[in-house]
Amino acid sequence: MIRPALVILFLLAPACAAAQGLPALTITESDQGTSWSLSLQILALMTALTVLPSLLLGMTAFTRIIIVLSILRQALGTQQTPPNQVLIALALFLTFFVMQPVLQQIYDLALAPMLDDQMPQSEALALASDIIKGFMVEHTRQNDLLMFADMAGAGPFATPEEVPFHVLLPAFLTSELKTAFQIGFLLFLPFLVIDIVIASILMALGMMMVSPVMVALPFKLLLFVLVDGWALTVGSLVAGYGLGG
């Protein structure tokens, strides 16, 4: 877990060249590249920590995973079971699992050479941005990307590296939301059928005062356990990103 976190913080290192005039915040240019003072590195690290949640939500698989898990809980009708903390923890671990190949590639090609003083920081950051762009473009619907590109007056783009982040980020998030709701719809259908059947049976028996939700809950849980629902759901989410196939 340490290496993915290091990669994420590296991706968020801000361009703090405007602080060059302060004695404690200096940027030194040399033949080996650009070196930042310790104070400036700490400032960049603290800034990265503040926007880390936005990075996780907007540039990874977290959005799709957490929405699908939330819809699944509503379809089961279990109220707050599993609790929000469990769903978020599961979504985080699945996100790191899905993003592991991308983070490993960023670490091997950009972060490790930079830490070994084999690559300037600007070049390493540009390479890492191109790698994460490639992942996002691969999982962004073309229609969504074209829509935001037209609104921004950008494009056409020959390669994923040419797509600017201000166009790619909203297109990627919109595409992830659309895919998550499609998966949620398919998950909701079998549980909706159970609710309809139970409500029809109770009405036929004249049991108007009995809550169909309470009666249908054990049947939905039984169905979910018999088909190994958690494994199917998690496996489908991971397979949607080209893993496990």
Side-chain angles (χ1 to χ4, degrees), residues 17 46 54 71 79 82 121 157 172 179 207 231 237:
M46 298 304 296
S54 300
I71 293 177
Q79 303 299 325
Q121 186 174 20
F157 310 109
F172 176 75
T179 303
M207 303 174 66
L237 286 171

Side-chain angles (χ1 to χ4, degrees), residues 153-177:
F157 310 109
T159 61
E161 291 78 11
E162 295 181 4
V163 183
F165 270 115
H166 74 276
V167 172
L168 183 56
L169 277 173
F172 176 75
L173 275 176
T174 303
S175 182
E176 288 291 279
L177 288 173

Side-chain angles (χ1 to χ4, degrees), residues 1 23 37 45-46 61 64 75 78 86 98 123 127 141-142 145 149-151 157 159 165-166 169 185 212 217:
M1 299 296 292
S37 65
L45 178 62
M46 298 304 296
R64 182 191 303 188
T78 54
V86 175
V98 170
E123 182 180 346
L127 179 58
R141 298 172 187 267
Q142 185 176 5
L145 187 58
D150 290 340
M151 289 190 294
F157 310 109
T159 61
F165 270 115
H166 74 276
L169 277 173
F185 171 76
L217 179 58

